[in-house]
Structure formats: structure tokens, C-alpha cells
mmCIF file with all atom_site columns, all heavy atoms in Angstrom:
data_model
loop_
_atom_site.group_PDB
_atom_site.id
_atom_site.type_symbol
_atom_site.label_atom_id
_atom_site.label_alt_id
_atom_site.label_comp_id
_atom_site.label_asym_id
_atom_site.label_entity_id
_atom_site.label_seq_id
_atom_site.pdbx_PDB_ins_code
_atom_site.Cartn_x
_atom_site.Cartn_y
_atom_site.Cartn_z
_atom_site.occupancy
_atom_site.B_iso_or_equiv
_atom_site.pdbx_formal_charge
_atom_site.auth_seq_id
_atom_site.auth_comp_id
_atom_site.auth_asym_id
_atom_site.auth_atom_id
_atom_site.pdbx_PDB_model_num
ATOM 1   N N   . ILE A 1 1  ? 127.489 136.994 73.971 1.00 98.00 ? 1  ILE A N   1
ATOM 2   C CA  . ILE A 1 1  ? 128.721 137.677 73.672 1.00 98.00 ? 1  ILE A CA  1
ATOM 3   C C   . ILE A 1 1  ? 129.432 137.882 75.074 1.00 98.00 ? 1  ILE A C   1
ATOM 4   O O   . ILE A 1 1  ? 128.844 138.377 75.977 1.00 98.00 ? 1  ILE A O   1
ATOM 5   C CB  . ILE A 1 1  ? 128.490 139.022 72.959 1.00 98.00 ? 1  ILE A CB  1
ATOM 6   C CG1 . ILE A 1 1  ? 129.901 139.650 72.580 1.00 98.00 ? 1  ILE A CG1 1
ATOM 7   C CG2 . ILE A 1 1  ? 127.678 140.055 73.772 1.00 98.00 ? 1  ILE A CG2 1
ATOM 8   C CD1 . ILE A 1 1  ? 129.618 140.842 71.597 1.00 98.00 ? 1  ILE A CD1 1
ATOM 9   N N   . THR A 1 2  ? 130.766 137.638 75.109 1.00 95.00 ? 2  THR A N   1
ATOM 10  C CA  . THR A 1 2  ? 131.599 137.806 76.230 1.00 95.00 ? 2  THR A CA  1
ATOM 11  C C   . THR A 1 2  ? 132.127 139.251 76.310 1.00 95.00 ? 2  THR A C   1
ATOM 12  O O   . THR A 1 2  ? 132.075 140.059 75.439 1.00 95.00 ? 2  THR A O   1
ATOM 13  C CB  . THR A 1 2  ? 132.760 136.855 76.251 1.00 95.00 ? 2  THR A CB  1
ATOM 14  O OG1 . THR A 1 2  ? 133.774 137.248 75.204 1.00 95.00 ? 2  THR A OG1 1
ATOM 15  C CG2 . THR A 1 2  ? 132.351 135.403 75.964 1.00 95.00 ? 2  THR A CG2 1
ATOM 16  N N   . SER A 1 3  ? 132.670 139.502 77.616 1.00 91.00 ? 3  SER A N   1
ATOM 17  C CA  . SER A 1 3  ? 133.316 140.822 77.711 1.00 91.00 ? 3  SER A CA  1
ATOM 18  C C   . SER A 1 3  ? 134.340 141.094 76.721 1.00 91.00 ? 3  SER A C   1
ATOM 19  O O   . SER A 1 3  ? 134.623 142.336 76.407 1.00 91.00 ? 3  SER A O   1
ATOM 20  C CB  . SER A 1 3  ? 133.837 140.926 79.108 1.00 91.00 ? 3  SER A CB  1
ATOM 21  O OG  . SER A 1 3  ? 134.850 139.871 79.382 1.00 91.00 ? 3  SER A OG  1
ATOM 22  N N   . GLY A 1 4  ? 135.132 140.011 76.258 1.00 91.00 ? 4  GLY A N   1
ATOM 23  C CA  . GLY A 1 4  ? 136.081 140.233 75.311 1.00 91.00 ? 4  GLY A CA  1
ATOM 24  C C   . GLY A 1 4  ? 135.585 140.269 73.842 1.00 91.00 ? 4  GLY A C   1
ATOM 25  O O   . GLY A 1 4  ? 136.444 140.407 72.919 1.00 91.00 ? 4  GLY A O   1
ATOM 26  N N   . GLY A 1 5  ? 134.320 140.003 73.690 1.00 94.00 ? 5  GLY A N   1
ATOM 27  C CA  . GLY A 1 5  ? 133.808 140.061 72.305 1.00 94.00 ? 5  GLY A CA  1
ATOM 28  C C   . GLY A 1 5  ? 133.649 138.746 71.534 1.00 94.00 ? 5  GLY A C   1
ATOM 29  O O   . GLY A 1 5  ? 133.235 138.743 70.389 1.00 94.00 ? 5  GLY A O   1
ATOM 30  N N   . SER A 1 6  ? 133.845 137.749 72.218 1.00 97.00 ? 6  SER A N   1
ATOM 31  C CA  . SER A 1 6  ? 133.628 136.436 71.592 1.00 97.00 ? 6  SER A CA  1
ATOM 32  C C   . SER A 1 6  ? 132.170 136.177 71.584 1.00 97.00 ? 6  SER A C   1
ATOM 33  O O   . SER A 1 6  ? 131.447 136.452 72.522 1.00 97.00 ? 6  SER A O   1
ATOM 34  C CB  . SER A 1 6  ? 134.304 135.379 72.512 1.00 97.00 ? 6  SER A CB  1
ATOM 35  O OG  . SER A 1 6  ? 135.764 135.427 72.417 1.00 97.00 ? 6  SER A OG  1
ATOM 36  N N   . THR A 1 7  ? 131.640 135.543 70.505 1.00 98.00 ? 7  THR A N   1
ATOM 37  C CA  . THR A 1 7  ? 130.315 135.314 70.279 1.00 98.00 ? 7  THR A CA  1
ATOM 38  C C   . THR A 1 7  ? 129.998 133.892 70.058 1.00 98.00 ? 7  THR A C   1
ATOM 39  O O   . THR A 1 7  ? 130.857 133.066 69.588 1.00 98.00 ? 7  THR A O   1
ATOM 40  C CB  . THR A 1 7  ? 129.787 136.176 69.172 1.00 98.00 ? 7  THR A CB  1
ATOM 41  O OG1 . THR A 1 7  ? 130.404 135.871 67.916 1.00 98.00 ? 7  THR A OG1 1
ATOM 42  C CG2 . THR A 1 7  ? 129.922 137.697 69.376 1.00 98.00 ? 7  THR A CG2 1
ATOM 43  N N   . ASN A 1 8  ? 128.650 133.610 70.404 1.00 98.00 ? 8  ASN A N   1
ATOM 44  C CA  . ASN A 1 8  ? 128.113 132.273 69.845 1.00 98.00 ? 8  ASN A CA  1
ATOM 45  C C   . ASN A 1 8  ? 126.738 132.440 69.528 1.00 98.00 ? 8  ASN A C   1
ATOM 46  O O   . ASN A 1 8  ? 126.012 133.344 70.062 1.00 98.00 ? 8  ASN A O   1
ATOM 47  C CB  . ASN A 1 8  ? 128.358 131.126 70.960 1.00 98.00 ? 8  ASN A CB  1
ATOM 48  C CG  . ASN A 1 8  ? 127.599 131.401 72.136 1.00 98.00 ? 8  ASN A CG  1
ATOM 49  O OD1 . ASN A 1 8  ? 127.639 132.425 72.920 1.00 98.00 ? 8  ASN A OD1 1
ATOM 50  N ND2 . ASN A 1 8  ? 126.487 130.479 72.333 1.00 98.00 ? 8  ASN A ND2 1
ATOM 51  N N   . TYR A 1 9  ? 126.148 131.387 68.707 1.00 98.00 ? 9  TYR A N   1
ATOM 52  C CA  . TYR A 1 9  ? 124.823 131.602 68.075 1.00 98.00 ? 9  TYR A CA  1
ATOM 53  C C   . TYR A 1 9  ? 124.193 130.211 68.077 1.00 98.00 ? 9  TYR A C   1
ATOM 54  O O   . TYR A 1 9  ? 124.842 129.184 67.982 1.00 98.00 ? 9  TYR A O   1
ATOM 55  C CB  . TYR A 1 9  ? 124.869 132.090 66.811 1.00 98.00 ? 9  TYR A CB  1
ATOM 56  C CG  . TYR A 1 9  ? 125.475 133.550 66.596 1.00 98.00 ? 9  TYR A CG  1
ATOM 57  C CD1 . TYR A 1 9  ? 126.898 133.566 66.348 1.00 98.00 ? 9  TYR A CD1 1
ATOM 58  C CD2 . TYR A 1 9  ? 124.740 134.664 66.698 1.00 98.00 ? 9  TYR A CD2 1
ATOM 59  C CE1 . TYR A 1 9  ? 127.395 134.880 66.185 1.00 98.00 ? 9  TYR A CE1 1
ATOM 60  C CE2 . TYR A 1 9  ? 125.206 135.900 66.564 1.00 98.00 ? 9  TYR A CE2 1
ATOM 61  C CZ  . TYR A 1 9  ? 126.542 135.967 66.336 1.00 98.00 ? 9  TYR A CZ  1
ATOM 62  O OH  . TYR A 1 9  ? 127.115 137.200 66.194 1.00 98.00 ? 9  TYR A OH  1
ATOM 63  N N   . ALA A 1 10 ? 122.878 130.232 68.223 1.00 98.00 ? 10 ALA A N   1
ATOM 64  C CA  . ALA A 1 10 ? 122.084 129.048 68.027 1.00 98.00 ? 10 ALA A CA  1
ATOM 65  C C   . ALA A 1 10 ? 122.153 128.693 66.453 1.00 98.00 ? 10 ALA A C   1
ATOM 66  O O   . ALA A 1 10 ? 122.305 129.533 65.648 1.00 98.00 ? 10 ALA A O   1
ATOM 67  C CB  . ALA A 1 10 ? 120.594 129.331 68.342 1.00 98.00 ? 10 ALA A CB  1
ATOM 68  N N   . VAL A 1 11 ? 122.232 127.372 66.118 1.00 98.00 ? 11 VAL A N   1
ATOM 69  C CA  . VAL A 1 11 ? 122.340 126.985 64.791 1.00 98.00 ? 11 VAL A CA  1
ATOM 70  C C   . VAL A 1 11 ? 121.256 127.582 64.037 1.00 98.00 ? 11 VAL A C   1
ATOM 71  O O   . VAL A 1 11 ? 121.457 127.951 62.734 1.00 98.00 ? 11 VAL A O   1
ATOM 72  C CB  . VAL A 1 11 ? 122.166 125.428 64.776 1.00 98.00 ? 11 VAL A CB  1
ATOM 73  C CG1 . VAL A 1 11 ? 122.120 124.910 63.303 1.00 98.00 ? 11 VAL A CG1 1
ATOM 74  C CG2 . VAL A 1 11 ? 123.428 124.803 65.405 1.00 98.00 ? 11 VAL A CG2 1
ATOM 75  N N   . SER A 1 12 ? 119.965 127.820 64.517 1.00 97.00 ? 12 SER A N   1
ATOM 76  C CA  . SER A 1 12 ? 118.884 128.274 63.708 1.00 97.00 ? 12 SER A CA  1
ATOM 77  C C   . SER A 1 12 ? 119.155 129.778 63.201 1.00 97.00 ? 12 SER A C   1
ATOM 78  O O   . SER A 1 12 ? 118.308 130.149 62.323 1.00 97.00 ? 12 SER A O   1
ATOM 79  C CB  . SER A 1 12 ? 117.581 128.122 64.530 1.00 97.00 ? 12 SER A CB  1
ATOM 80  O OG  . SER A 1 12 ? 117.751 128.892 65.791 1.00 97.00 ? 12 SER A OG  1
ATOM 81  N N   . VAL A 1 13 ? 119.999 130.523 63.764 1.00 98.00 ? 13 VAL A N   1
ATOM 82  C CA  . VAL A 1 13 ? 120.138 131.866 63.429 1.00 98.00 ? 13 VAL A CA  1
ATOM 83  C C   . VAL A 1 13 ? 121.509 132.248 62.969 1.00 98.00 ? 13 VAL A C   1
ATOM 84  O O   . VAL A 1 13 ? 121.779 133.296 62.491 1.00 98.00 ? 13 VAL A O   1
ATOM 85  C CB  . VAL A 1 13 ? 119.840 132.782 64.594 1.00 98.00 ? 13 VAL A CB  1
ATOM 86  C CG1 . VAL A 1 13 ? 118.509 132.519 65.318 1.00 98.00 ? 13 VAL A CG1 1
ATOM 87  C CG2 . VAL A 1 13 ? 120.887 132.848 65.663 1.00 98.00 ? 13 VAL A CG2 1
ATOM 88  N N   . LYS A 1 14 ? 122.423 131.148 63.053 1.00 97.00 ? 14 LYS A N   1
ATOM 89  C CA  . LYS A 1 14 ? 123.748 131.406 62.643 1.00 97.00 ? 14 LYS A CA  1
ATOM 90  C C   . LYS A 1 14 ? 123.872 131.804 61.124 1.00 97.00 ? 14 LYS A C   1
ATOM 91  O O   . LYS A 1 14 ? 123.279 131.280 60.314 1.00 97.00 ? 14 LYS A O   1
ATOM 92  C CB  . LYS A 1 14 ? 124.613 130.229 62.873 1.00 97.00 ? 14 LYS A CB  1
ATOM 93  C CG  . LYS A 1 14 ? 126.173 130.327 62.612 1.00 97.00 ? 14 LYS A CG  1
ATOM 94  C CD  . LYS A 1 14 ? 126.959 129.234 63.141 1.00 97.00 ? 14 LYS A CD  1
ATOM 95  C CE  . LYS A 1 14 ? 126.710 128.877 64.627 1.00 97.00 ? 14 LYS A CE  1
ATOM 96  N NZ  . LYS A 1 14 ? 127.702 127.685 64.957 1.00 97.00 ? 14 LYS A NZ  1
ATOM 97  N N   . GLY A 1 15 ? 124.609 132.951 60.831 1.00 98.00 ? 15 GLY A N   1
ATOM 98  C CA  . GLY A 1 15 ? 124.719 133.401 59.482 1.00 98.00 ? 15 GLY A CA  1
ATOM 99  C C   . GLY A 1 15 ? 123.757 134.503 59.162 1.00 98.00 ? 15 GLY A C   1
ATOM 100 O O   . GLY A 1 15 ? 123.924 135.238 58.215 1.00 98.00 ? 15 GLY A O   1
ATOM 101 N N   . ARG A 1 16 ? 122.720 134.667 60.005 1.00 98.00 ? 16 ARG A N   1
ATOM 102 C CA  . ARG A 1 16 ? 121.644 135.704 59.871 1.00 98.00 ? 16 ARG A CA  1
ATOM 103 C C   . ARG A 1 16 ? 121.671 136.777 60.936 1.00 98.00 ? 16 ARG A C   1
ATOM 104 O O   . ARG A 1 16 ? 121.266 137.890 60.561 1.00 98.00 ? 16 ARG A O   1
ATOM 105 C CB  . ARG A 1 16 ? 120.313 134.986 59.809 1.00 98.00 ? 16 ARG A CB  1
ATOM 106 C CG  . ARG A 1 16 ? 120.111 133.999 58.553 1.00 98.00 ? 16 ARG A CG  1
ATOM 107 C CD  . ARG A 1 16 ? 118.683 133.409 58.528 1.00 98.00 ? 16 ARG A CD  1
ATOM 108 N NE  . ARG A 1 16 ? 118.299 132.659 59.725 1.00 98.00 ? 16 ARG A NE  1
ATOM 109 C CZ  . ARG A 1 16 ? 117.302 133.174 60.439 1.00 98.00 ? 16 ARG A CZ  1
ATOM 110 N NH1 . ARG A 1 16 ? 116.523 134.182 60.111 1.00 98.00 ? 16 ARG A NH1 1
ATOM 111 N NH2 . ARG A 1 16 ? 116.919 132.480 61.529 1.00 98.00 ? 16 ARG A NH2 1
ATOM 112 N N   . PHE A 1 17 ? 121.937 136.260 62.188 1.00 98.00 ? 17 PHE A N   1
ATOM 113 C CA  . PHE A 1 17 ? 121.908 137.270 63.185 1.00 98.00 ? 17 PHE A CA  1
ATOM 114 C C   . PHE A 1 17 ? 123.286 137.602 63.741 1.00 98.00 ? 17 PHE A C   1
ATOM 115 O O   . PHE A 1 17 ? 124.250 136.782 63.572 1.00 98.00 ? 17 PHE A O   1
ATOM 116 C CB  . PHE A 1 17 ? 121.181 136.618 64.430 1.00 98.00 ? 17 PHE A CB  1
ATOM 117 C CG  . PHE A 1 17 ? 119.651 136.487 64.337 1.00 98.00 ? 17 PHE A CG  1
ATOM 118 C CD1 . PHE A 1 17 ? 118.992 136.706 63.028 1.00 98.00 ? 17 PHE A CD1 1
ATOM 119 C CD2 . PHE A 1 17 ? 118.832 136.064 65.347 1.00 98.00 ? 17 PHE A CD2 1
ATOM 120 C CE1 . PHE A 1 17 ? 117.683 136.451 62.828 1.00 98.00 ? 17 PHE A CE1 1
ATOM 121 C CE2 . PHE A 1 17 ? 117.492 135.910 65.234 1.00 98.00 ? 17 PHE A CE2 1
ATOM 122 C CZ  . PHE A 1 17 ? 116.884 136.243 63.981 1.00 98.00 ? 17 PHE A CZ  1
ATOM 123 N N   . THR A 1 18 ? 123.534 138.710 64.200 1.00 98.00 ? 18 THR A N   1
ATOM 124 C CA  . THR A 1 18 ? 124.741 139.163 64.772 1.00 98.00 ? 18 THR A CA  1
ATOM 125 C C   . THR A 1 18 ? 124.595 139.887 66.082 1.00 98.00 ? 18 THR A C   1
ATOM 126 O O   . THR A 1 18 ? 123.813 140.831 66.035 1.00 98.00 ? 18 THR A O   1
ATOM 127 C CB  . THR A 1 18 ? 125.455 140.127 63.828 1.00 98.00 ? 18 THR A CB  1
ATOM 128 O OG1 . THR A 1 18 ? 125.713 139.540 62.531 1.00 98.00 ? 18 THR A OG1 1
ATOM 129 C CG2 . THR A 1 18 ? 126.863 140.445 64.453 1.00 98.00 ? 18 THR A CG2 1
ATOM 130 N N   . ILE A 1 19 ? 125.249 139.328 67.063 1.00 98.00 ? 19 ILE A N   1
ATOM 131 C CA  . ILE A 1 19 ? 125.266 140.042 68.333 1.00 98.00 ? 19 ILE A CA  1
ATOM 132 C C   . ILE A 1 19 ? 126.391 140.827 68.587 1.00 98.00 ? 19 ILE A C   1
ATOM 133 O O   . ILE A 1 19 ? 127.588 140.535 68.134 1.00 98.00 ? 19 ILE A O   1
ATOM 134 C CB  . ILE A 1 19 ? 125.170 138.962 69.577 1.00 98.00 ? 19 ILE A CB  1
ATOM 135 C CG1 . ILE A 1 19 ? 124.962 139.594 70.947 1.00 98.00 ? 19 ILE A CG1 1
ATOM 136 C CG2 . ILE A 1 19 ? 126.431 138.048 69.576 1.00 98.00 ? 19 ILE A CG2 1
ATOM 137 C CD1 . ILE A 1 19 ? 124.577 138.700 72.123 1.00 98.00 ? 19 ILE A CD1 1
ATOM 138 N N   . SER A 1 20 ? 126.328 142.045 69.064 1.00 98.00 ? 20 SER A N   1
ATOM 139 C CA  . SER A 1 20 ? 127.381 142.935 69.204 1.00 98.00 ? 20 SER A CA  1
ATOM 140 C C   . SER A 1 20 ? 127.104 143.892 70.425 1.00 98.00 ? 20 SER A C   1
ATOM 141 O O   . SER A 1 20 ? 126.079 143.775 71.092 1.00 98.00 ? 20 SER A O   1
ATOM 142 C CB  . SER A 1 20 ? 127.587 143.823 68.058 1.00 98.00 ? 20 SER A CB  1
ATOM 143 O OG  . SER A 1 20 ? 126.514 144.624 67.674 1.00 98.00 ? 20 SER A OG  1
ATOM 144 N N   . LYS A 1 21 ? 128.230 144.532 70.792 1.00 97.00 ? 21 LYS A N   1
ATOM 145 C CA  . LYS A 1 21 ? 127.995 145.513 72.018 1.00 97.00 ? 21 LYS A CA  1
ATOM 146 C C   . LYS A 1 21 ? 128.840 146.778 71.719 1.00 97.00 ? 21 LYS A C   1
ATOM 147 O O   . LYS A 1 21 ? 129.890 146.746 71.013 1.00 97.00 ? 21 LYS A O   1
ATOM 148 C CB  . LYS A 1 21 ? 128.332 144.856 73.287 1.00 97.00 ? 21 LYS A CB  1
ATOM 149 C CG  . LYS A 1 21 ? 129.802 144.415 73.304 1.00 97.00 ? 21 LYS A CG  1
ATOM 150 C CD  . LYS A 1 21 ? 130.163 143.699 74.616 1.00 97.00 ? 21 LYS A CD  1
ATOM 151 C CE  . LYS A 1 21 ? 131.579 143.388 74.774 1.00 97.00 ? 21 LYS A CE  1
ATOM 152 N NZ  . LYS A 1 21 ? 132.053 142.885 76.247 1.00 97.00 ? 21 LYS A NZ  1
ATOM 153 N N   . ASP A 1 22 ? 128.408 147.794 72.366 1.00 97.00 ? 22 ASP A N   1
ATOM 154 C CA  . ASP A 1 22 ? 129.010 149.136 72.421 1.00 97.00 ? 22 ASP A CA  1
ATOM 155 C C   . ASP A 1 22 ? 129.374 149.348 73.807 1.00 97.00 ? 22 ASP A C   1
ATOM 156 O O   . ASP A 1 22 ? 128.527 149.705 74.699 1.00 97.00 ? 22 ASP A O   1
ATOM 157 C CB  . ASP A 1 22 ? 128.123 150.234 71.874 1.00 97.00 ? 22 ASP A CB  1
ATOM 158 C CG  . ASP A 1 22 ? 128.786 151.525 71.739 1.00 97.00 ? 22 ASP A CG  1
ATOM 159 O OD1 . ASP A 1 22 ? 129.641 151.922 72.531 1.00 97.00 ? 22 ASP A OD1 1
ATOM 160 O OD2 . ASP A 1 22 ? 128.589 152.261 70.683 1.00 97.00 ? 22 ASP A OD2 1
ATOM 161 N N   . ASN A 1 23 ? 130.683 149.290 74.097 1.00 95.00 ? 23 ASN A N   1
ATOM 162 C CA  . ASN A 1 23 ? 131.070 149.489 75.538 1.00 95.00 ? 23 ASN A CA  1
ATOM 163 C C   . ASN A 1 23 ? 130.950 150.760 76.089 1.00 95.00 ? 23 ASN A C   1
ATOM 164 O O   . ASN A 1 23 ? 130.696 151.090 77.205 1.00 95.00 ? 23 ASN A O   1
ATOM 165 C CB  . ASN A 1 23 ? 132.704 149.146 75.542 1.00 95.00 ? 23 ASN A CB  1
ATOM 166 C CG  . ASN A 1 23 ? 132.941 147.723 75.321 1.00 95.00 ? 23 ASN A CG  1
ATOM 167 O OD1 . ASN A 1 23 ? 132.092 146.829 75.604 1.00 95.00 ? 23 ASN A OD1 1
ATOM 168 N ND2 . ASN A 1 23 ? 134.027 147.370 74.788 1.00 95.00 ? 23 ASN A ND2 1
ATOM 169 N N   . ALA A 1 24 ? 131.025 151.818 75.096 1.00 96.00 ? 24 ALA A N   1
ATOM 170 C CA  . ALA A 1 24 ? 130.894 153.226 75.601 1.00 96.00 ? 24 ALA A CA  1
ATOM 171 C C   . ALA A 1 24 ? 129.372 153.448 76.105 1.00 96.00 ? 24 ALA A C   1
ATOM 172 O O   . ALA A 1 24 ? 129.086 154.264 76.898 1.00 96.00 ? 24 ALA A O   1
ATOM 173 C CB  . ALA A 1 24 ? 131.302 154.209 74.553 1.00 96.00 ? 24 ALA A CB  1
ATOM 174 N N   . LYS A 1 25 ? 128.421 152.884 75.177 1.00 97.00 ? 25 LYS A N   1
ATOM 175 C CA  . LYS A 1 25 ? 127.018 153.087 75.502 1.00 97.00 ? 25 LYS A CA  1
ATOM 176 C C   . LYS A 1 25 ? 126.484 152.012 76.534 1.00 97.00 ? 25 LYS A C   1
ATOM 177 O O   . LYS A 1 25 ? 125.331 152.019 76.834 1.00 97.00 ? 25 LYS A O   1
ATOM 178 C CB  . LYS A 1 25 ? 126.201 153.120 74.248 1.00 97.00 ? 25 LYS A CB  1
ATOM 179 C CG  . LYS A 1 25 ? 126.588 154.184 73.299 1.00 97.00 ? 25 LYS A CG  1
ATOM 180 C CD  . LYS A 1 25 ? 125.726 154.161 72.018 1.00 97.00 ? 25 LYS A CD  1
ATOM 181 C CE  . LYS A 1 25 ? 126.062 155.304 71.043 1.00 97.00 ? 25 LYS A CE  1
ATOM 182 N NZ  . LYS A 1 25 ? 125.308 155.229 69.824 1.00 97.00 ? 25 LYS A NZ  1
ATOM 183 N N   . THR A 1 26 ? 127.356 151.066 76.873 1.00 96.00 ? 26 THR A N   1
ATOM 184 C CA  . THR A 1 26 ? 126.911 149.817 77.631 1.00 96.00 ? 26 THR A CA  1
ATOM 185 C C   . THR A 1 26 ? 125.493 149.377 77.054 1.00 96.00 ? 26 THR A C   1
ATOM 186 O O   . THR A 1 26 ? 124.579 149.022 77.802 1.00 96.00 ? 26 THR A O   1
ATOM 187 C CB  . THR A 1 26 ? 126.825 150.208 79.167 1.00 96.00 ? 26 THR A CB  1
ATOM 188 O OG1 . THR A 1 26 ? 125.727 151.084 79.475 1.00 96.00 ? 26 THR A OG1 1
ATOM 189 C CG2 . THR A 1 26 ? 128.040 150.564 79.669 1.00 96.00 ? 26 THR A CG2 1
ATOM 190 N N   . THR A 1 27 ? 125.579 149.106 75.817 1.00 98.00 ? 27 THR A N   1
ATOM 191 C CA  . THR A 1 27 ? 124.484 148.555 75.057 1.00 98.00 ? 27 THR A CA  1
ATOM 192 C C   . THR A 1 27 ? 124.698 147.272 74.317 1.00 98.00 ? 27 THR A C   1
ATOM 193 O O   . THR A 1 27 ? 125.769 147.252 73.633 1.00 98.00 ? 27 THR A O   1
ATOM 194 C CB  . THR A 1 27 ? 123.708 149.672 74.198 1.00 98.00 ? 27 THR A CB  1
ATOM 195 O OG1 . THR A 1 27 ? 123.430 150.789 74.831 1.00 98.00 ? 27 THR A OG1 1
ATOM 196 C CG2 . THR A 1 27 ? 122.519 149.016 73.279 1.00 98.00 ? 27 THR A CG2 1
ATOM 197 N N   . VAL A 1 28 ? 123.891 146.355 74.376 1.00 98.00 ? 28 VAL A N   1
ATOM 198 C CA  . VAL A 1 28 ? 123.963 145.108 73.516 1.00 98.00 ? 28 VAL A CA  1
ATOM 199 C C   . VAL A 1 28 ? 122.981 145.170 72.277 1.00 98.00 ? 28 VAL A C   1
ATOM 200 O O   . VAL A 1 28 ? 121.821 145.518 72.581 1.00 98.00 ? 28 VAL A O   1
ATOM 201 C CB  . VAL A 1 28 ? 123.817 143.886 74.437 1.00 98.00 ? 28 VAL A CB  1
ATOM 202 C CG1 . VAL A 1 28 ? 123.992 142.564 73.597 1.00 98.00 ? 28 VAL A CG1 1
ATOM 203 C CG2 . VAL A 1 28 ? 124.744 143.907 75.614 1.00 98.00 ? 28 VAL A CG2 1
ATOM 204 N N   . TYR A 1 29 ? 123.422 144.691 71.265 1.00 98.00 ? 29 TYR A N   1
ATOM 205 C CA  . TYR A 1 29 ? 122.532 144.632 70.165 1.00 98.00 ? 29 TYR A CA  1
ATOM 206 C C   . TYR A 1 29 ? 122.372 143.259 69.515 1.00 98.00 ? 29 TYR A C   1
ATOM 207 O O   . TYR A 1 29 ? 123.251 142.473 69.627 1.00 98.00 ? 29 TYR A O   1
ATOM 208 C CB  . TYR A 1 29 ? 123.210 145.523 69.068 1.00 98.00 ? 29 TYR A CB  1
ATOM 209 C CG  . TYR A 1 29 ? 123.423 146.864 69.410 1.00 98.00 ? 29 TYR A CG  1
ATOM 210 C CD1 . TYR A 1 29 ? 124.663 147.339 69.825 1.00 98.00 ? 29 TYR A CD1 1
ATOM 211 C CD2 . TYR A 1 29 ? 122.385 147.878 69.398 1.00 98.00 ? 29 TYR A CD2 1
ATOM 212 C CE1 . TYR A 1 29 ? 124.973 148.688 70.164 1.00 98.00 ? 29 TYR A CE1 1
ATOM 213 C CE2 . TYR A 1 29 ? 122.710 149.259 69.679 1.00 98.00 ? 29 TYR A CE2 1
ATOM 214 C CZ  . TYR A 1 29 ? 124.031 149.550 70.125 1.00 98.00 ? 29 TYR A CZ  1
ATOM 215 O OH  . TYR A 1 29 ? 124.291 150.892 70.558 1.00 98.00 ? 29 TYR A OH  1
#
């Protein structure tokens, strides 16, 4: 995930996994 929120995934997990981030908590999920 980029600073602007753009995401990319491995084919093997696409549609099942979601990467996200909380800017206030400086935490990636």
C-alpha cells in the first residue's frame, strides 16, 4: 500500500486479503 492508499496484491491472495492503513495510528493491517 502506498502513502496515497493505492494497493496491490499477489495473485494467490487477491480477493481474499485486504491491506489497509490507519494514518492516525500509523498502523498497517
